[in-house]
Amino acid sequence: MTPASQASSHRRIVAVSPDDGSAINLKQPELAAFLAWLIPGLGHLYQGRTKKGAMYMSVILTLFVAGLWLGDGRVVYASWRPTDTRWWFVCHAGIGVAAVPAVVQSVSMTGTNHEPFWIAGWMTPPLLEGQLVSREFAERLVNKDPYIFELDFWDRPPYKQFRADQVSMWHHKLGRFFELGTLYTVLAGMLNMLVIYDAWAGPMHPLVKQEKSSTSSDEENNQDDDTQSDGTTDTGSVSR
Amino acid sequence: MTLRVMAQLIQVQCHDDVFLWRLRMDSSIMIVFALFLENVPMLFFSLPLIAAASVVFSATHHESPPAIWRGTVEWMIWLVGILGTVLLAVFILSRLA
């Protein structure tokens, strides 16, 4: 192994703490960012920033679960149908693996089975007018959902065809809590974007105005010093 | 709903007495206040959002736990102040317009 390759293999990516100026080992920032997306705070735990990671994890997952609870598990779903495009799911996706069941449920509903993967219906997109569903799922809805009756389905063997609008039912049942649950879960996903950035680049530094020196020669000297210090700039992250 | 009915009753009573202009002004303020109180339960649900956002905003700017908590308090004051002022202004203007 050549000295150059040894140096690159031992390269350490660190950020500077804005509080005490100490170095924060970011390890592999890309991997940390991916882990932070997968589960909020996991990237920080991987980097050894355990307190911060645990705090992120508890805050964001609590917010997400609280939103799901307020919205009766209905507010997080993936739907890209022309009459029901759920743009909020773009923000929900920021929470990572917690939003994956919504994709699974959506794919399963639009597939050949015409029923959700988890038959209980958690994170399932709402049934729209004219949508085909399996008989088993239709029977379950009639038995479990007080808003849906047998007459809400046409018989289209081997399926059942829905003849109402489930989104309206959800809004009638949940009222303002549908919007509240959506807001909680959306905000959890968006806040996790900041957490991902923190895992990737370290804490953000406040903008510091450079003091203008009296002579231009001083400025030139400062610039020379900046370029010589380990090949870094004042972005807050340095590599050694 | 009760507060809304109370506010409407006050409004009707005051409209009966066309000579007491000052009383009408007082009643409109009471209506605004009553309608504001009616929305307090929903405003309550915004507090966890503000708290969570403050913690995350602060944590993305600091590394040590004491600095994070100090920053959280500062962010919370800013967010409550700005959002509260905007909300109150919109609410009052929408009712008085």
Side-chain angles (χ1 to χ4, degrees):
Chain A
M1 185 179 284
T2 63
S5 61
Q6 280 182 347
S8 63
S9 65
H10 290 97
R11 197 176 71 164
R12 199 161 65 102
I13 300 173
V14 300
V16 179
S17 169
D19 302 320
D20 54 6
S22 60
I24 304 163
N25 189 358
L26 297 178
K27 295 190 177 176
Q28 294 181 47
E30 293 82 9
L31 177 61
F34 175 72
L35 292 174
W37 170 78
L38 208 60
I39 298 173
L42 190 63
H44 292 77
L45 294 179
Y46 157 73
Q47 291 170 331
R49 301 154 78 185
T50 49
K51 286 181 182 174
K52 210 170 179 180
M55 190 195 63
Y56 278 139
M57 194 178 285
S58 58
V59 168
I60 290 180
L61 289 182
T62 302
L63 200 62
F64 189 77
V65 171
L68 270 181
W69 178 69
L70 286 173
D72 200 22
R74 309 292 184 191
V75 291
V76 179
Y77 64 87
S79 175
W80 305 107
R81 295 168 289 186
T83 53
D84 179 40
T85 306
R86 185 71 168 167
W87 288 106
W88 291 122
F89 188 74
V90 175
C91 301
H92 289 144
I95 200 82
V97 76
V100 168
V103 179
V104 175
Q105 297 283 64
S106 178
V107 170
S108 182
M109 279 296 287
T110 53
T112 54
N113 291 334
H114 293 286
E115 65 181 20
F117 185 79
W118 291 282
I119 204 76
W122 192 259
M123 293 189 184
T124 306
L127 297 180
L128 302 178
E129 189 176 0
Q131 186 173 349
L132 293 174
V133 295
S134 70
R135 289 178 170 274
E136 185 188 359
F137 186 54
E139 284 174 15
R140 182 184 172 81
L141 285 173
V142 170
N143 292 330
K144 299 283 182 183
D145 195 331
Y147 279 76
I148 297 179
F149 302 96
E150 188 69 37
L151 289 173
D152 288 327
F153 291 96
W154 277 305
D155 201 15
R156 296 279 189 270
Y159 302 110
K160 292 262 189 177
Q161 190 173 25
F162 197 58
R163 52 187 293 194
D165 180 16
Q166 205 177 12
V167 180
S168 303
M169 295 175 182
W170 290 354
H171 279 279
H172 186 264
K173 180 185 176 187
L174 297 169
R176 289 179 177 179
F177 287 103
F178 191 86
E179 277 79 26
L180 266 177
T182 302
L183 187 62
Y184 271 54
T185 48
V186 162
L187 201 71
M190 291 177 75
L191 287 176
N192 198 39
M193 310 262 184
L194 293 176
V195 176
I196 292 168
Y197 180 83
D198 190 47
W200 178 62
M204 295 178 220
H205 287 252
L207 291 173
V208 179
K209 292 179 181 176
Q210 287 185 341
E211 292 181 4
K212 289 184 178 178
S213 56
S214 56
T215 60
S216 61
S217 60
D218 290 342
E219 289 178 0
E220 289 173 2
N221 291 333
N222 288 336
Q223 286 175 357
D224 291 340
D225 291 342
D226 286 343
T227 54
Q228 288 172 359
S229 59
D230 296 336
T232 63
T233 58
D234 57 351
T235 55
S237 299
V238 294
S239 58
R240 291 176 184 171
Chain B
M1 184 58 76
T2 310
L3 289 170
R4 193 187 290 275
V5 171
M6 282 172 60
Q8 284 172 351
L9 285 173
I10 293 167
Q11 196 175 24
V12 168
Q13 283 175 354
C14 295
H15 276 245
D16 287 341
D17 193 348
V18 292
F19 300 105
L20 295 176
W21 178 81
R22 175 64 189 275
L23 186 59
R24 273 217 306 273
M25 286 300 291
D26 287 346
S27 71
S28 65
I29 293 169
M30 286 182 71
I31 290 165
V32 169
F33 185 64
L35 290 172
F36 181 76
L37 285 180
E38 191 184 47
N39 286 300
V40 163
M42 298 311 289
L43 292 174
F44 171 78
F45 283 98
S46 66
L47 296 179
L49 293 176
I50 292 172
S54 302
V55 170
V56 174
F57 288 166
S58 173
T60 49
H61 287 79
H62 299 283
E63 192 63 23
S64 67
I68 289 174
W69 294 125
R70 274 198 306 276
T72 300
V73 174
E74 289 174 9
W75 272 104
M76 208 176 288
I77 291 168
W78 275 104
L79 288 178
V80 169
I82 293 169
L83 294 176
T85 306
V86 170
L87 187 67
L88 198 62
V90 168
F91 183 79
I92 290 172
L93 288 173
S94 67
R95 294 296 168 185
L96 294 181

